[in-house]
Amino acid sequence: MKSFKPYTPSRRFITVEDFSSLTKKAPEKSLTRGMRKKAGRNNFGLLVVRHQGGGHKRAYRTIDFKRDKFGVPGKVAALEYDPNRSARLALIFYTDGEKRYIIQPEGLKVGDTVQSGPEADIKTGNALPLDRIPEGTTLHNIELIPGTGARLVRSAGASAQLMAKEGRFAQVRMPSGEIRQFYRECMATVGQVGNIDHENRVLGNAGRSRHLGIRPDVRGTAMNAVDHPHGGGRGRSKGNNQPRSPWNQPAKGYKTRSKKIWDWMILKHRSKQAAAASA
């Protein structure tokens, strides 16, 4: 991380990620496509996620989350920045001439070789089915359903650990501390996601937030009564209101999941309260 001399009040706290490890600035054109701004709205134009909009123009990098080129070795040609995620990207040149992006694991460098498939070695950047990975191995990019591509443990610095194998399932401890089951056929990549210092980043001022497409988050108590359930009152009065959203949905302790379709795969919940409730 880089910090600065406090020549302005906001510069005092700003920290910026160090990009010295990146080896290529412009993305691979054949692996990019246009990206339309959603601004937190759905296909009807209704606001469904607040505080989104604006920001710098971006191109989407197509990433190989399936890792389905079994038995074909690939060489790391470059390490790149991705504006759409916290992790870095590794550009892979395969021996058959194809190019693909993968999430860069910690320790993967330019010139290293990666491979996927049941016969791949247990080394950083290689992707294998959970059935072929030894217990205790650090993992990322884990599939929920075999063949659908990685869905979990993809952000900067994230890692999971393979705990055990029993019957049709493998037990994995997630970054949250939750222990859950996955089908043994699910693919996972060995190692921890790179760019570990991302969590130490401090934006420091409103301008950097707007550049990222993050709009201001105004407190409900600062609004008028007509605009928010917490609004109104004289002075900084919370009144007798319970914490809730602008649409009157309780904000603390209210269950919002309608179908717990994955609960049968969770062996240990991430929170003590949820674990006690399920016991």
Side-chain angles (χ1 to χ4, degrees):
M1 304 298 293
K2 291 170 59 178
S3 57
F4 302 89
K5 290 183 178 180
Y7 54 85
T8 64
S10 63
R11 273 291 175 188
R12 181 179 298 276
F13 303 104
I14 285 177
T15 58
V16 179
E17 295 173 38
D18 183 15
F19 299 101
S20 60
S21 61
L22 304 183
T23 62
K24 188 167 175 285
K25 190 169 184 180
E28 190 68 27
K29 196 167 184 180
S30 62
L31 298 175
T32 60
R33 57 181 172 84
M35 222 175 91
R36 290 188 63 185
K37 298 281 187 182
K38 300 292 193 303
R41 287 165 170 77
N42 63 9
N43 57 323
F44 294 106
L46 300 177
L47 191 71
V48 291
V49 182
R50 295 193 296 162
H51 318 133
Q52 290 189 5
H56 199 283
K57 186 177 180 180
R58 301 175 182 178
Y60 182 76
R61 280 77 165 162
T62 304
I63 299 174
D64 180 18
F65 286 119
K66 291 190 175 183
R67 299 296 299 272
D68 53 3
K69 286 187 75 71
F70 291 175
V72 182
K75 188 175 182 180
V76 180
L79 302 178
E80 299 183 22
Y81 169 77
D82 187 353
N84 306 304
R85 66 194 70 249
S86 56
R88 303 286 187 240
L89 299 183
L91 178 62
I92 309 298
F93 286 5
Y94 286 96
T95 54
D96 61 1
E98 189 174 358
K99 300 176 183 179
R100 291 190 182 185
Y101 278 128
I102 66 168
I103 298 291
Q104 183 219 353
E106 181 68 16
L108 192 71
K109 303 182 296 296
V110 173
D112 290 350
T113 302
V114 296
Q115 198 169 351
S116 59
E119 307 304 323
D121 295 331
I122 307 299
K123 74 170 195 177
T124 299
N126 285 1
L128 303 88
L130 291 172
D131 191 38
R132 307 303 289 269
I133 300 176
E135 296 173 7
T137 305
T138 300
L139 308 170
H140 65 280
N141 274 8
I142 308 173
E143 288 183 329
L144 266 176
I145 301 172
T148 58
R151 292 288 184 269
L152 305 175
V153 196
R154 306 191 323 193
S155 60
S159 67
Q161 186 178 22
L162 181 59
M163 304 298 291
K165 301 173 191 176
E166 187 176 339
R168 295 178 58 200
F169 299 100
Q171 298 175 13
V172 178
R173 183 171 63 197
M174 306 301 289
S176 63
E178 174 183 291
I179 297 178
R180 61 172 299 137
Q181 298 183 122
F182 293 86
Y183 292 106
R184 283 178 176 240
E185 299 81 21
C186 289
M187 295 287 288
T189 307
V190 178
Q192 179 183 9
V193 182
N195 196 23
I196 296 176
D197 281 335
H198 176 78
E199 65 177 355
N200 300 322
R201 180 187 65 166
V202 178
L203 294 180
N205 61 27
R208 290 186 71 192
S209 296
R210 297 307 292 262
H211 192 248
L212 293 171
I214 305 170
R215 300 186 66 235
D217 183 358
V218 180
R219 293 169 298 122
T221 52
M223 300 182 189
N224 295 319
V226 70
D227 298 315
H228 199 283
H230 296 175
R234 293 173 180 167
R236 296 185 178 179
S237 171
K238 289 185 179 179
N240 195 27
N241 287 325
Q242 296 297 319
R244 64 191 71 190
S245 75
W247 300 276
N248 219 33
Q249 181 171 304
K252 292 186 177 179
Y254 180 68
K255 306 300 182 186
T256 57
R257 291 180 67 185
S258 57
K259 294 183 180 179
K260 301 183 179 181
I261 58 174
W262 296 108
D263 272 11
W264 64 276
M265 298 190 82
I266 299 175
L267 302 181
K268 179 185 174 185
H269 286 269
R270 61 184 178 180
S271 68
K272 293 180 180 178
Q273 291 179 348
S278 63

